[in-house]
Amino acid sequence: MPRPVLVLDLDGTVCLGDTPVLLYAERVAAFTAAPETLLEATRAFLGRRMPESIPKTLTGAQDGYEAVKILGLSAGVTEEQLSAAYLSSRAAMSEQPGDVHAPEGLVDLLAGIDAHRVVLTNSPGAGLDRVLAHLGVAGVIDELVSDALKPSRMTAHLDGFLRVAGAAGTPEWLMSVGDIWRNDLAPAVERGCVAAYVDVFDRRQGPAHVRAGSFVDLYPAVADWSSDPASFIAAHPLKESVQC
């Protein structure tokens, strides 16, 4: 019998708080002629306050990181500068966690399920152990995969997890939880895995088996799935806008 595999995104799923995005925004803003303008727009996006002065392109941003990228590019920041700013901000986050925190009750959820628990993130690996320790989840995570190159490498990661779990022919034994549909969920849906969509900004970008505005609201679904993946996927058919 295979063991269920729970694949968790980091930012926006396991790791909450505005500090990581603001650290990124500060570094991107330093490359612009009007840094405070970019920072004010970022804060407005994070606070879900969208005054008329904010570029309309921000309304489609999937998260704070994409919002900062949109603002930076519109201010003349290059892709190379964006990349450097991101790497710098991630290094700083492990030393300056600020308001970073895990969703309430996550440790209890992960401790209470029988599954191989993976954090899969595009973030560079340096300092991530300290971040997980700060979040309080280091003891309930079995595997950490950094520099994941989602979405281009997501299917390969899923195949690897399923193969190791002995579930290559039963992909419903893997659940992917994340807040960016194209990165975390689209490849899982295509592979036949269970997709749990943390749709914080109510984007409804694509189908999922379960969807909610916060990870906390998906906890019952995660627990039910881990106890009987086959029955869970049968009871939760793929839907465009399913809401827990």
Side-chain angles (χ1 to χ4, degrees), residues 11-241:
D11 290 279
T13 303
V14 171
C15 179
L16 306 180
D18 292 340
T19 295
V21 172
L22 291 174
L23 288 171
Y24 178 45
E26 287 171 2
R27 285 153 178 78
V28 172
F31 291 115
T32 71
E36 191 55 38
T37 299
L38 188 145
L39 291 172
E40 287 178 0
T42 301
R43 295 187 193 104
F45 178 87
L46 294 173
R48 304 191 191 186
R49 298 177 286 103
M50 302 290 282
E52 289 297 323
S53 59
I54 287 187
K56 298 300 182 185
T57 50
L58 282 191
T59 60
Q62 297 301 295
D63 61 5
Y65 287 101
E66 188 169 4
V68 173
K69 181 177 181 178
I70 290 169
L71 291 167
L73 290 173
S74 67
V77 180
T78 67
E79 291 282 358
E80 291 76 13
Q81 289 170 327
L82 288 170
S83 179
Y86 177 71
L87 292 174
S88 175
S89 72
R90 299 308 291 189
M93 189 179 79
S94 65
E95 303 293 340
Q96 308 168 40
D99 70 343
V100 163
H101 62 283
E104 184 177 359
L106 179 59
V107 172
D108 290 339
L109 171 74
L110 297 180
I113 63 173
D114 182 15
H116 182 69
R117 302 150 301 185
V118 182
V119 168
L120 182 69
T121 176
N122 284 344
S123 297
L128 280 186
D129 287 343
R130 290 195 297 274
V131 171
L132 293 185
H134 175 80
L135 293 170
V137 301
V140 290
I141 295 298
D142 301 301
E143 185 175 355
L144 171 63
V145 180
S146 60
D147 298 291
L149 297 177
K150 297 186 288 185
S152 63
R153 291 287 298 163
M154 183 62 166
T155 299
H157 289 301
L158 299 179
D159 285 341
F161 296 140
L162 288 167
R163 184 172 58 253
V164 170
T170 52
E172 67 273 14
W173 283 71
L174 186 149
M175 173 185 273
S176 181
V177 185
D179 65 319
I180 306 296
W181 189 81
R182 65 174 178 261
N183 285 2
D184 307 309
L185 306 172
V189 168
E190 183 177 355
R191 183 62 178 83
C193 303
V194 178
Y197 190 177
V198 184
D199 193 6
V200 178
F201 294 102
D202 196 30
R203 297 297 190 221
R204 305 185 186 222
Q205 292 292 306
H209 296 91
V210 287
R211 182 181 70 87
S214 74
F215 189 8
V216 173
D217 291 333
L218 291 173
Y219 289 177
V222 174
D224 289 348
W225 161 82
S226 69
S227 64
D228 191 344
S231 295
F232 180 87
I233 201 168
H236 298 83
L238 199 63
K239 294 181 181 178
E240 285 294 331
S241 300

